[in-house]
Structures are given as C-alpha cells and as structure tokens.
C-alpha cells in the first residue's frame, strides 16, 4: 500500500472544523483563528480512511490528498 500524503491550505480554510471532528488524530484547529492544523502529513494506516473522509467533507477544499501516482517510475 502506497503512503498517503496530506497537505493543507490555511489560506483557503474556512474554519468549519470538519477535519478535526472527523480525523482528530490527523487534524486540529489553531486556537486563534480556528484554522486547520495538520498534525500528521503522512498518517499511519489506521487513520488514512478518516483522513480521506475529512478531506472530502472539507467545505473549503483546503485539504489535498497526495498519493503517489503508480504510473510514475
């Protein structure tokens, strides 16, 4: 299984908190603005499904999933 890499765009983040609620092991929100904080850019296997779900639920599209392309060699 290829590793999952995540990145976040704090400029795009709306502070809805869906990421932190869905995958609290991977995401948090800062205390000042409530913007996304990425705790684990390469989450362990047991947290990948929640991280993918959080990315899909983000209303601002501020979370990017970066999985290696299997066609790249």
């Amino acid at each position: 299984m290829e590793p999952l890499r995540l990145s976040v765009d704090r400029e795009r983040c709306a502070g809805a908190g869906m990421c932190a609620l869905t995958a609290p092991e991977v995401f948090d929100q800062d205390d000042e603005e409530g913007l996304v904080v990425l705790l684990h850019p390469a989450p362990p296997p047991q947290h990948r499904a929640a991280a993918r779900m959080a990315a899909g639920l983000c209303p601002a599209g501020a979370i990017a999933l970066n999985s290696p392309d299997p066609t790249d060699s």
Side-chain angles (χ1 to χ4, degrees):
M1 178 183 289
E2 294 293 330
L4 173 67
R5 301 275 314 161
L6 302 168
S7 60
V8 296
D9 183 347
R10 287 175 50 89
E11 296 290 321
R12 193 170 188 174
C13 178
M18 293 305 299
C19 56
L21 291 171
T22 306
E25 303 84 2
V26 181
F27 303 100
D28 199 357
Q29 290 179 278
D30 68 37
D31 291 333
E32 292 180 16
E33 300 175 275
L35 299 180
V36 64
V37 174
L38 181 57
L39 301 174
H40 296 287
Q46 67 269 29
H47 299 305
R48 290 179 187 162
R52 287 181 186 278
M53 184 179 294
L57 291 173
C58 178
I63 302 169
L65 302 174
N66 303 304
S67 296
D69 186 342
T71 61
D72 288 345
S73 299

